[in-house]
Amino acid sequence: MRRPYLCASLQCTFEYSVELTGASGVQWMPVSPFVGAMHASPSPNGAPIREYGSVGWCLGERRMSARDKAASDISEVPAVRHGRPKGLARLRTYATGKEILVLGPSSAGKSKFAEYLQFGRLHPEGEREMTYGLTKSPTFTLTLGVDGRLALNVRRTVDTPGQTGPVQHAGLVGERKPHAVVVMVDCSKPIAATIHWLDLFCDRLDTVLRKGHHIRNKLREIVVVLNKRDKIDPDAFEELTARVRGVLDRHLTVVLGPERTAAIPLLECICVQGPRGPALIDNVLACLAERLTQ
């Protein structure tokens, strides 16, 4: 079953479901959008329901900001279209395009996310290629909506090797001066390890942004992508989102301000082929495009 959900000035149609686990095995059923805080709840027959796939921008108790809610000019967006301009169109796209820096620990799905961002291509689970240096994409475009009313010009994406540490990743924000930073988090890893990486990253990022006001002014958006959402149970996921939000608030509130820090979205994602298709990763792209074109 497919149902629409509100995505700022867009209305995207995605698939989402809950898993019913009982004596009769596993079944899937659709649930309403914006599940909110992840939790286990009893099904009609008493079996526990494991919910995931909330397609809201911000998880837990945080919803869209008043600015996002006010943007009610809606059109249906069944898919994201990826394009490679040529000739003069390429020069215009480069001149007006945004640079997107993809950061995160090893095996968080950075390369898969960057590839989908550029080509709209997902690989089967289990395929993995190591990234040993900065990988820069050529100029491309993202178009959302049947009428193409939302278009994002991307000057380049920069994919980073996870083998370098969080301090070095934060330093790249100062070196590259991107318009957007996408921080990939691996939900399948121990929460303590994830929070440790993010804590070191945000602590250094605070220093980088304090020293360079021009870097801070050019940085339009920071997005945290909680990848491999299907690899974590609801209770652990709720704990992870709460602790991630705590790290962001602790380190970035002073340099970015409380309102801007609170507006950093935490987005669920699955960057491999699966029965639910590209619903969650398309939601991340829609959020990114919407915020960078406002």
Side-chain angles (χ1 to χ4, degrees):
M1 179 179 292
R2 301 176 71 86
R3 299 180 183 175
Y5 83 98
L6 185 64
C7 179
S9 63
L10 307 172
Q11 186 170 358
C12 302
T13 303
F14 292 138
E15 295 178 355
Y16 39 89
S17 56
V18 296
E19 185 181 2
L20 300 182
T21 306
S24 60
V26 175
Q27 295 178 314
W28 292 92
M29 62 176 291
V31 297
S32 59
F34 289 105
V35 173
M38 295 296 151
H39 59 279
S41 57
S43 68
N45 62 2
I49 297 179
R50 296 210 307 268
E51 299 182 13
Y52 75 91
S54 168
V55 290
W57 280 9
C58 301
L59 303 173
E61 296 302 318
R62 299 176 185 267
R63 295 291 193 271
M64 291 185 295
S65 66
R67 178 189 67 178
D68 300 327
K69 289 181 179 179
S72 56
D73 187 13
I74 301 171
S75 65
E76 288 196 3
V77 184
V80 180
R81 297 191 295 278
H82 310 253
R84 181 79 62 84
K86 298 180 180 179
L88 291 177
R90 180 182 180 278
L91 295 178
R92 287 194 296 269
T93 301
Y94 182 88
T96 61
K98 310 299 184 185
E99 178 166 317
I100 301 173
L101 183 60
V102 184
L103 306 172
S106 179
S107 303
K110 299 181 296 299
S111 297
K112 287 184 174 64
F113 178 83
E115 181 175 356
Y116 187 81
L117 184 63
Q118 181 181 354
F119 299 109
R121 184 167 60 218
L122 292 177
H123 293 279
E125 185 174 358
E127 290 187 7
R128 183 187 177 192
E129 293 184 5
M130 298 291 291
T131 302
Y132 295 101
L134 293 182
T135 304
K136 305 172 189 177
S137 76
T139 299
F140 63 94
T141 61
L142 291 177
T143 306
L144 296 92
V146 175
D147 56 0
R149 67 188 308 175
L150 179 60
L152 174 64
N153 293 334
V154 181
R155 179 178 299 175
R156 69 177 67 88
T157 60
V158 181
D159 179 22
T160 55
Q163 290 76 17
T164 57
V167 174
Q168 289 77 12
H169 276 216
L172 285 172
V173 178
E175 296 174 18
R176 300 294 315 178
K177 303 177 181 63
H179 299 90
V181 169
V182 176
V183 181
M184 303 292 294
V185 171
D186 185 352
C187 289
S188 69
K189 294 292 181 64
I191 293 177
T194 298
I195 296 303
H196 177 69
W197 190 99
L198 188 64
D199 193 70
L200 293 175
F201 170 79
C202 289
D203 182 60
R204 179 57 182 170
L205 182 62
D206 171 67
T207 302
V208 169
L209 297 179
R210 284 173 184 266
K211 290 183 176 180
H213 68 276
H214 56 291
I215 302 171
R216 184 172 65 252
N217 293 337
K218 186 178 178 182
L219 182 60
R220 296 278 302 277
E221 292 297 337
I222 299 174
V223 174
V224 178
V225 176
L226 307 174
N227 193 29
K228 305 181 186 180
R229 174 61 184 90
D230 53 335
K231 304 299 182 184
I232 185 172
D233 66 75
D235 290 337
F237 185 69
E238 184 174 1
E239 177 187 353
L240 175 62
T241 56
R243 294 183 65 178
V244 167
R245 182 62 66 184
V247 171
L248 298 175
D249 291 344
R250 183 166 61 254
H251 290 292
L252 302 181
T253 295
V254 174
V255 68
L256 295 180
E259 182 176 349
R260 186 176 177 186
T261 303
I264 295 175
L266 310 182
L267 304 175
E268 303 174 60
C269 189
I270 300 175
C271 293
V272 295
Q273 294 176 4
R276 301 169 61 219
L280 294 181
I281 193 170
D282 277 350
N283 175 62
V284 177
L285 268 56
C287 172
L288 196 60
E290 172 71 16
R291 287 172 169 243
L292 286 176
T293 54
Q294 285 182 343

